[in-house]
């Protein structure tokens, strides 16, 4: 079942790159883009994770422009409003994570 909540959005550049990876790396049918966090939060914050994985019972599942996305339900509150972008420049290349400014509690 696809949920109606979409805690994380992807820019057009990120969508294009995810599709490119799914094709070139031959990501198997039944796998989704997993977006998650690692770390304890607080003052030190989180590290955002991006990869491909099968849906688990504890996941929220939704689609972004035809791409299946899964997020662990317990991470949803930390990911709300997150935007995944893709940067490609002469100095670097990779996914970036943009979170709206929040008040610093730490």
């Amino acid at each position: 079942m696809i949920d109606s909540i979409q805690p994380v959005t992807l820019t057009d550049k990120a969508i294009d790159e995810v599709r490119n990876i799914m094709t070139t790396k031959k990501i198997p049918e039944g796998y989704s883009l997993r977006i998650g966090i690692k770390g304890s939060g607080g003052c030190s914050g989180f590290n955002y994770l991006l990869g491909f994985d099968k849906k688990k019972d504890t996941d929220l599942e939704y689609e972004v422009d035809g791409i299946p996305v899964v997020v662990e339900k317990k991470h949803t509150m930390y990911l709300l409003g997150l935007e995944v972008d893709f940067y490609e420049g002469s100095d670097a290349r990779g996914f970036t994570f943009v979170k709206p400014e929040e008040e610093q509690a730490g």
Side-chain angles (χ1 to χ4, degrees), residues 2-102:
I2 304 292
D3 295 299
S4 60
I5 297 172
Q6 294 190 7
V8 181
T9 59
L10 286 85
T11 65
D12 290 341
K13 286 182 181 180
I15 290 168
D16 290 345
E17 186 61 20
V18 168
R19 284 192 178 127
N20 180 44
I21 291 169
M22 290 174 82
T23 302
T24 58
K25 300 292 185 188
K26 296 179 176 50
I27 302 299
E29 188 74 27
Y31 277 70
S32 301
L33 178 66
R34 177 170 298 280
I35 303 170
I37 58 169
K38 182 178 183 180
S40 61
C43 295
S44 61
F46 298 107
N47 288 320
Y48 295 107
L49 306 173
L50 197 65
F52 294 95
D53 197 6
K54 289 193 173 209
K55 183 184 180 303
K56 299 175 183 160
D57 291 340
T58 57
D59 286 336
L60 174 77
E61 178 184 31
Y62 62 100
E63 280 188 14
V64 174
D65 207 12
I67 297 170
V69 179
V70 291
V71 173
E72 202 169 321
K73 288 179 184 175
K74 68 181 180 182
H75 294 170
T76 303
M77 65 185 241
Y78 303 108
L79 296 171
L80 277 174
L82 182 70
E83 180 181 70
V84 178
D85 196 5
F86 186 77
Y87 175 79
E88 190 165 16
S90 59
D91 58 336
R93 181 177 192 273
F95 289 97
T96 60
F97 302 91
V98 181
K99 184 90 167 163
E101 290 299 317
E102 298 177 354

